[in-house]
Amino acid sequence: MQNTFKVNLVEATLLTSRVRHLKFQREDGLPLEFIPGQFVSFHFRGGDAKEVRRSYSLATIPGESSYIELALGYVKGGIASEALFAAKPGDTFNMSGPYGRLILRDETPKRIILVATNTGVTPYRSMLPALAAKLETLKVVILLGVQKKEDALYSADFLTYTKLYPNLDFRLCYSRENKNNVSEPFEYVGHVQNQFENLNPIPDSDIVYLCGNPNMIDAAYELLKEKGFNPQQVRREKYVS
Ligand SMILES: Cc1cc2nc3c(=O)[nH]c(=O)nc-3n(C[C@H](O)[C@H](O)[C@H](O)COP(=O)(O)OP(=O)(O)OC[C@H]3O[C@@H](n4cnc5c(N)ncnc54)[C@H](O)[C@@H]3O)c2cc1C
């Protein structure tokens, strides 16, 4: 397989009870060259010895870390989930990549709206320094949807950047949280795509990225199509096996 290499797990921490943050390094000591927004794939042997591939967006913030950082949401009984949730520092895996086109482009919309559910926010974490460079001239909105407060991941990273860059608007949306528990100015109750009503995306001035749960992506894309968006103005990455 072209571009396949071995990686060692260096460190694993829990971001939430169901999401593990994993840091890997290449066994050959080489850095992984990638563009923020891209993903890597693990190559496993399935039960019938056939190769099984599973993909994960890179969470690494360039300049802050040289590890291959990933966020893995646990799926009970899942081939990759069970292997990677049980993995210990020193364990070795086969990986390939980077792949993917959910990347920032050299273009000048007035606003970039980055929408994610759960670990779908991972590529946007990796984009933070690149977004910071754009925030001088345009607005960026990051919408992260999770079920409850305890499911939020990487919020601290996004909030750090909102303090430095007034043009960055980070909104954490809870689909199953009690309204009485929601008090911070960046917290909202409801699905991420409900925010479109208030943000009023406009095809001529906005570019939208959608990443994560396929149902969210389909629902959000339908709303954007109704507003006149075409496929080039809405970049989508569905997290499916
Ligand atoms: C480009 C890309 C990037 C991705 N990035 C990430 C990432 O950064 N983080 C991440 O956690 N995942 C990511 N995914 C999803 C990931 O690749 C796997 O699909 C996921 O981890 C499940 O794999 P598994 O082997 O554990 O489960 P599988 O063995 O594939 O599935 C086991 C069972 O669970 C079901 N299932 C699969 N996924 C889910 C789910 N999400 N919820 C409920 N049931 C499910 C399957 O239908 C099957 O019945 C990405 C997918 C793509 C295509």
Side-chain angles (χ1 to χ4, degrees):
M1 161 72 58
Q2 200 191 0
N3 199 19
T4 302
F5 46 90
K6 285 199 182 303
V7 292
N8 293 318
L9 181 64
V10 177
E11 193 183 299
T13 48
L14 280 180
L15 293 173
T16 76
S17 62
R18 299 179 61 81
V19 181
R20 211 177 189 209
H21 182 88
L22 301 162
K23 285 185 188 175
F24 293 91
Q25 63 188 7
R26 286 175 65 133
E27 208 165 69
D28 57 16
L30 294 173
L32 179 73
E33 305 287 349
F34 72 99
I35 304 168
Q38 290 191 303
F39 63 89
V40 288
S41 296
F42 286 95
H43 300 244
F44 298 98
R45 288 271 154 227
D48 51 6
K50 275 201 189 130
E51 188 183 79
V52 174
R53 281 175 72 159
R54 293 289 183 269
S55 301
Y56 296 91
S57 301
L58 286 149
T60 308
I61 301 181
E64 287 187 21
S65 164
S66 52
Y67 292 115
I68 299 166
E69 298 189 26
L70 312 171
L72 172 88
Y74 181 69
V75 173
K76 194 169 171 18
I79 293 170
S81 295
E82 297 298 348
L84 292 169
F85 252 77
K88 294 182 189 60
D91 287 356
T92 303
F93 295 89
N94 291 315
M95 184 180 276
S96 66
Y99 306 105
R101 300 176 49 80
L102 192 84
I103 56 175
L104 295 170
R105 303 195 192 159
D106 196 10
E107 57 195 352
T108 48
K110 289 200 175 119
R111 188 168 61 167
I112 301 176
I113 303 176
L114 304 168
V115 189
T117 49
N118 300 304
T119 52
V121 82
T122 305
Y124 309 151
R125 180 188 195 247
S126 184
M127 286 176 189
L128 278 169
L131 289 169
K134 290 182 179 279
L135 279 163
E136 304 291 332
T137 51
L138 56 81
K139 288 187 187 299
V140 175
V141 183
I142 299 176
L143 305 176
L144 166 58
V146 295
Q147 288 190 346
K148 294 186 159 239
K149 278 194 161 194
E150 60 267 27
D151 303 319
L153 64 156
Y154 298 136
S155 305
D157 297 312
F158 295 112
L159 290 169
T160 300
Y161 273 75
T162 58
K163 289 192 185 101
L164 296 171
Y165 300 94
N167 273 349
L168 176 63
D169 178 1
F170 171 66
R171 302 186 185 188
L172 183 52
C173 307
Y174 306 118
S175 59
R176 296 197 192 169
E177 190 56 86
N178 188 323
K179 270 199 172 101
N180 300 329
N181 289 337
V182 174
S183 57
E184 298 292 344
F186 58 87
E187 291 181 309
Y188 296 81
V189 172
H191 289 111
V192 270
Q193 60 270 26
N194 296 359
Q195 295 299 316
F196 290 165
E197 214 173 291
N198 159 269
L199 291 169
N200 193 24
I202 298 168
D204 281 345
S205 54
D206 294 324
I207 296 284
V208 185
Y209 288 66
L210 306 172
C211 188
N213 181 306
N215 296 330
M216 177 282 283
I217 292 180
D218 289 342
Y221 187 49
E222 280 309 308
L223 290 173
L224 293 165
K225 271 201 309 196
E226 281 168 23
K227 288 179 179 289
F229 279 79
N230 65 42
Q232 287 72 41
Q233 294 158 325
V234 186
R235 285 146 205 173
R236 290 163 284 168
E237 189 145 275
K238 292 185 178 182
Y239 280 6
V240 288
S241 285

